[in-house]
Amino acid sequence: MEKFLLRNVGVPNSHEIDVYIGRGGYQALAKALKEFEPQELVNLVRESGLRGRGGAGFPAGVKWSFLPKGVYPRYLVCNADEGEPGTFKDRVLIEHDPHGLIEGIIISSYACEVEHAFIYIRGEYVFGAKRLEKAVAQAYERGYLGRNILGSGYDLELTVHRGAGSYVCGEETGLLTSLEGDRGHPKLKPPFPASQGLYRKPTIINNVETLFNVPFIVEHGAEWYKGFGTERSPGLKLFCISGHVNKPGVYELPLGTPMMTLINDYAGGPSKPIKTVIPGGSSTPMLPPDVLETLTLDYEALAAAGSMLGSGAVIVVGEGTCIVRLVERLAEFYRHESCGKCIPCREGTDWLYKIMHRIEHGQGREEDIDLLLDICDNISGKSFCPLGDAALGPITSSIKHFRDEYLYHIRERRCMV
Amino acid sequence: MLSENAKAEIEQLKGKYPDPKSALLPALYVAQREHGWLSPEVMRDVAEVMDLPPAEVASVASFYTMFNRQPVGENLIQVCTNISCSLLGAEHIVEYLKSKLGIDVGETTPDNKFTLVTVECLGSCGTAPMMQVNDTYYENLTEEKIDRILAELAERKG
Ligand SMILES: Cc1cc2nc3c(=O)[nH]c(=O)nc-3n(C[C@H](O)[C@H](O)[C@H](O)COP(=O)(O)O)c2cc1C
Ligand code: SF4
Ligand code: FES
C-alpha cells in the first residue's frame, strides 16, 4: 500500500526542511492559508471524520467546533507525551518527520484561530525534542512560523516544551497543569479545555498523530480521506506492534484492516503461538486468541470484542508467558503513576498491586480473585480522571480469560508455565 | 550555587511563555544540567529566579521522576521493565547489569561511574529490550551489546 503518514520515514535526512520541502512539504499549508477560511478548515476536518489518535477517538473537527466564539487568545497543545506502555508511533513521526508534525500544527492552529501553540513532549524523548527544536527554528527562518506566515497576515508562535517523567501528564488536563509549571494533577471537567484550558483560555489538545493527518486532508480532501477505513472509523492509522512477533515496529494501515493481516503480513507473524493480544496499549482489555481471526482494527470492532483501539499499540503475548506476572507488572505501573489526588485510584491501585504481588509470589488466597474484582468495581467510574479506570483493564480481562491460571498460582503456589 | 549563565538562561526561558511560571520545568532542567541533581540549595536559587516560593519549586520537582533529588553517578542507566520489554527479557538484562556492575537496582558503583535504575515504558517497545543511559537510547539489547556500551562509557572521561 502507498504510504502517507510514514512517507518520509526512511528517507535520508527526512528531518531537514529542504528534504521535506523537496518532497512536497508545506504545500498543504500554503493551500490552507490561501484557499480556506479558518471555519472552512474546521468543517473540512469534521467532514473527513478524523478521530483523535491519542486513545479516546473523539472526532477532531467536532472538538475544534466547541471553541467558544470570539474568545481569544486561544491555544493549541500537541500532546507528545506518549506514555501508554506499548506505544511508540509518535516518536517515529517526531524523529523522522518533525516538519510533517509542525505543518499539521500550523494548519490546525490557523483553523482554530490560535496565536500560540505548544508541543508537550515527554522528557525522555531528548533526541526527538532536539529534532523538533531544530525543525521549529528552520520553520521560523523560512517564514512558516512567526509573523505574517507566507504573507497571509496570520501569526503563530510555536514552543517545544519538555515534560519530566509522569504518565498522568499525558491526560489532557494533567498536561495543561504541568505546562503551567505545576505538579501534573488532572482537573475536573467541565470546564473542558476547549472553553477553559491553558491559562484558563480556550485550548485545543490533540495527539501528534491526529495533527499529522491534517495536511493530508487539506491536500487531498475529506472524500479522499474517507475512502480509507470503515464508515465509522475512516482514515489511516499507525499501529505499533511489539512483543512476540518477528518484525515488531510501526505500520500504517487503513482502519478496519484485519488484526491477522497486521500480525502476519506486516509484523512477520508471531514468534510463538499466541496466548493473548493486548490490542491498544497496556490499559486496553486483553483478548483471547480465538477472537483474533475475525477481528478488524477499528474503533467499533474492538469495542464489540470487549476492548479498545486505544493508541493503536498491539502487544502480542506468546505461549509460555505467565499472565499473573504480566498483570502484576502492569499493576505496578499504574500504582506508580497514580498521582494520588483521589482516594479510589490512590488506594485502589496500591491494593491491586499488593494482591497481584502476593498471588505472583505464591501467597495468594482463593478469595483474592473476588477481592481484585471488588476493588476494580470500587475504582470504576469513581476516580477523578481516567487513569483509575485504565488500571482495571488488564486485571478484569485477565481474570475473565485466564482465571485458571490465577487459581493454579494460588493453589500450587507457583507458575503454570 | 546556580551560575550567572544559568540564571540568565532561565530569565530568557520565562519570556518564551505567556505566563513565566510555565518556565519552571525548563528551569529545573537547566539547573540539573549544571549540577547533575537538584539539591535544596540549587532549587532555592531556581525559586529566586522564578520568583516562586522555594517550597513550591521543591514540591513541583518532586512530582516528576526525571528530576534527581539525590546525586546520581556519571552515567544513569535506566532499564525499561514494562510490558513489551519484559516479554523480551528485560529481567535478564537487569540481572546481567547487576552482576556486571556489582550493584543492586537503585545503587551507584563505588567509583561513581554508574547508577542503575529500572523505569517505565520509554516508547521503544518495538526495539525491546532497551535502556536509556543519560540522554541516549540503546535498543535491541543483548549481553554483548551491553558489554560494549559499558566499556565505552567507562572509558569516557567524567
Ligand atoms: C492517563 C492518561 C494518559 C494519557 N496519555 C496520552 C498520551 O501520552 N498521548 C496522547 O495523545 N493522549 C493521551 N491521553 C489522552 C488525552 O487525555 C487526550 O484525550 C488526547 O490527547 C486528545 O487528543 P486526540 O483527541 O487527538 O486523541 C491520555 C489519557 C489518560 C487518561
Ligand atoms: S484517578 Fe488517579 S491519576 Fe487520576 S486524579 Fe485520581 S489519583 Fe490522580
Ligand atoms: S515497554 Fe519498554 S520501551 Fe515500551
Side-chain angles (χ1 to χ4, degrees):
Chain A
M1 200 196 100
E2 189 187 352
K3 286 181 188 167
F4 294 94
L5 304 176
L6 296 180
R7 70 188 191 98
N8 289 330
V9 175
V11 172
N13 293 317
S14 58
H15 59 285
E16 291 290 347
I17 195 163
D18 286 322
V19 175
Y20 183 70
I21 293 172
R23 295 177 56 78
Y26 286 115
Q27 278 175 18
L29 173 63
K31 180 175 177 186
L33 294 173
K34 209 160 123 204
E35 296 177 19
F36 289 87
E37 290 300 316
Q39 186 57 47
E40 291 170 348
L41 281 172
V42 175
N43 295 343
L44 176 77
V45 170
R46 190 150 67 172
E47 277 161 33
S48 77
L50 172 66
R51 294 170 65 167
R53 304 295 193 228
F58 193 80
V62 175
K63 187 190 280 186
W64 296 2
S65 69
F66 289 157
L67 285 164
K69 297 234 166 343
V71 186
Y72 304 95
R74 294 171 174 180
Y75 299 108
L76 181 141
V77 184
C78 168
N79 189 341
D81 200 49
E82 191 157 79
E84 174 79 1
T87 316
F88 48 101
K89 64 191 175 69
D90 297 343
R91 178 175 160 223
V92 169
L93 295 176
I94 289 164
E95 292 185 358
H96 295 272
D97 204 355
H99 286 287
L101 175 59
I102 293 168
E103 184 171 8
I105 291 173
I106 304 169
I107 298 173
S108 306
S109 297
Y110 171 69
C112 297
E113 299 176 74
V114 160
E115 62 178 53
H116 197 151
F118 299 85
I119 303 173
Y120 185 104
I121 179 167
R122 66 175 296 180
E124 294 87 348
Y125 284 179
V126 181
F127 182 75
K130 283 188 184 147
R131 281 251 156 120
L132 278 174
E133 294 271 9
K134 186 170 170 214
V136 167
Q138 288 177 336
Y140 269 103
E141 272 168 32
R142 304 292 178 97
Y144 298 122
L145 280 169
R147 298 217 152 268
N148 192 19
I149 296 171
L150 301 178
S152 65
Y154 175 59
D155 306 336
L156 178 68
E157 299 294 329
L158 176 57
T159 304
V160 179
H161 185 89
R162 289 178 61 208
S166 161
Y167 169 65
V168 77
C169 290
E171 191 282 327
E172 54 188 20
T173 60
L175 185 148
L176 294 179
T177 355
S178 175
L179 181 49
E180 287 171 353
D182 277 318
R183 296 164 71 88
H185 285 297
K187 281 191 189 151
L188 203 61
K189 294 188 274 194
F192 287 93
S195 54
Q196 274 187 40
L198 188 62
Y199 316 125
R200 308 187 70 76
K201 299 295 180 208
T203 303
I204 290 298
I205 302 161
N206 276 125
N207 172 254
V208 168
E209 186 189 344
T210 314
L211 297 167
F212 202 91
N213 271 279
V214 172
F216 296 96
I217 297 169
V218 170
E219 196 180 334
H220 302 286
E223 284 308 314
W224 170 85
Y225 194 75
K226 280 195 288 193
F228 299 102
T230 69
E231 194 179 336
R232 290 176 65 200
S233 295
L236 301 163
K237 176 82 189 84
L238 296 181
F239 293 97
C240 357
I241 180 161
S242 66
H244 293 137
V245 288
N246 292 314
K247 279 168 56 194
V250 178
Y251 298 101
E252 172 181 351
L253 293 167
L255 285 160
T257 300
M259 172 70 99
M260 292 318 289
T261 302
L262 172 67
I263 294 178
N264 289 327
D265 301 354
Y266 288 84
S271 57
K272 320 177 169 187
I274 297 176
K275 182 167 188 173
T276 184
V277 168
I278 303 178
S282 73
S283 62
T284 60
M286 57 183 77
L287 297 170
D290 55 336
V291 307
L292 302 178
E293 284 304 325
T294 53
L295 188 66
T296 53
L297 292 162
D298 51 272
Y299 297 97
E300 290 70 31
L302 280 153
S307 191
M308 285 182 284
L309 184 76
S311 59
V314 177
I315 304 163
V316 176
V317 179
E319 289 292 352
T321 309
C322 173
I323 293 292
V324 174
R325 167 75 194 107
L326 182 131
V327 174
E328 181 209 10
R329 181 63 187 85
L330 291 178
E332 187 186 1
F333 169 72
Y334 289 103
R335 178 181 75 153
H336 181 247
E337 300 298 336
S338 167
C339 82
K341 177 168 174 155
C342 68
I343 292 168
C345 169
R346 184 182 65 213
E347 301 296 320
T349 53
D350 189 45
W351 287 348
L352 290 175
Y353 170 68
K354 283 182 178 148
I355 298 167
M356 287 306 304
H357 185 78
R358 75 177 179 231
I359 299 177
E360 165 64 13
H361 288 82
Q363 276 129 29
R365 305 164 212 148
E366 292 202 16
E367 313 85 82
D368 279 350
I369 299 180
D370 286 333
L371 188 56
L372 284 170
L373 292 174
D374 203 41
I375 296 167
C376 288
D377 209 42
N378 278 312
I379 300 176
S380 176
K382 296 180 189 74
S383 58
F384 191 80
C385 88
L387 188 144
D389 285 293
L392 315 179
I395 299 199
T396 52
S397 62
S398 61
I399 293 178
K400 184 168 162 203
H401 301 301
F402 299 99
R403 187 183 272 265
D404 285 0
E405 212 172 308
Y406 276 86
L407 284 171
Y408 188 94
H409 246 283
I410 291 167
R411 289 177 188 152
E412 305 294 324
R413 313 206 165 278
R414 64 189 169 86
C415 266
M416 197 163 151
V417 296
Chain B
M1 286 292 288
L2 212 54
S3 71
E4 288 310 311
N5 274 347
K7 287 183 186 168
E9 194 178 339
I10 294 174
E11 279 299 345
Q12 206 191 352
L13 286 167
K14 283 160 70 179
K16 277 176 53 180
Y17 296 91
D19 177 345
K21 197 183 166 197
S22 285
L24 181 52
L25 265 54
L28 289 167
Y29 273 123
V30 170
Q32 180 156 294
R33 194 184 63 213
E34 192 168 275
H35 288 270
W37 68 292
L38 296 176
S39 65
E41 295 75 31
V42 166
M43 283 197 277
R44 219 169 298 138
D45 282 359
V46 171
E48 202 181 303
V49 191
M50 288 297 298
D51 217 359
L52 293 168
E56 187 174 346
V57 172
S59 151
V60 170
S62 72
F63 186 81
Y64 299 93
T65 54
M66 287 180 65
F67 293 130
N68 307 324
R69 281 163 308 125
Q70 248 112 53
V72 294
E74 278 165 42
N75 296 295
L76 179 59
I77 302 181
Q78 306 165 72
V79 186
C80 170
T81 56
N82 209 303
I83 181 160
S84 307
C85 287
S86 63
L87 288 173
L88 295 181
E91 274 167 43
H92 179 74
I93 299 294
V94 174
E95 289 309 314
Y96 188 70
L97 280 161
K98 275 162 63 174
S99 72
K100 280 278 295 188
L101 298 171
I103 53 174
D104 214 334
V105 172
E107 292 179 351
T108 300
T109 52
D111 63 1
N112 201 40
K113 276 275 179 197
F114 297 103
T115 299
L116 177 65
V117 297
T118 57
V119 293
E120 299 299 354
C121 176
L122 289 170
S124 195
C125 333
T127 42
M130 65 81 63
M131 64 183 183
Q132 178 175 15
V133 184
N134 307 326
D135 288 348
T136 308
Y137 278 27
Y138 296 92
E139 302 166 75
N140 296 312
L141 292 177
T142 58
E143 289 186 4
E144 299 76 58
K145 211 162 168 179
I146 291 175
D147 291 346
R148 248 181 296 140
I149 296 162
L150 291 185
E152 254 169 53
L153 291 169
E155 267 172 33
R156 221 175 272 175
K157 289 271 166 290

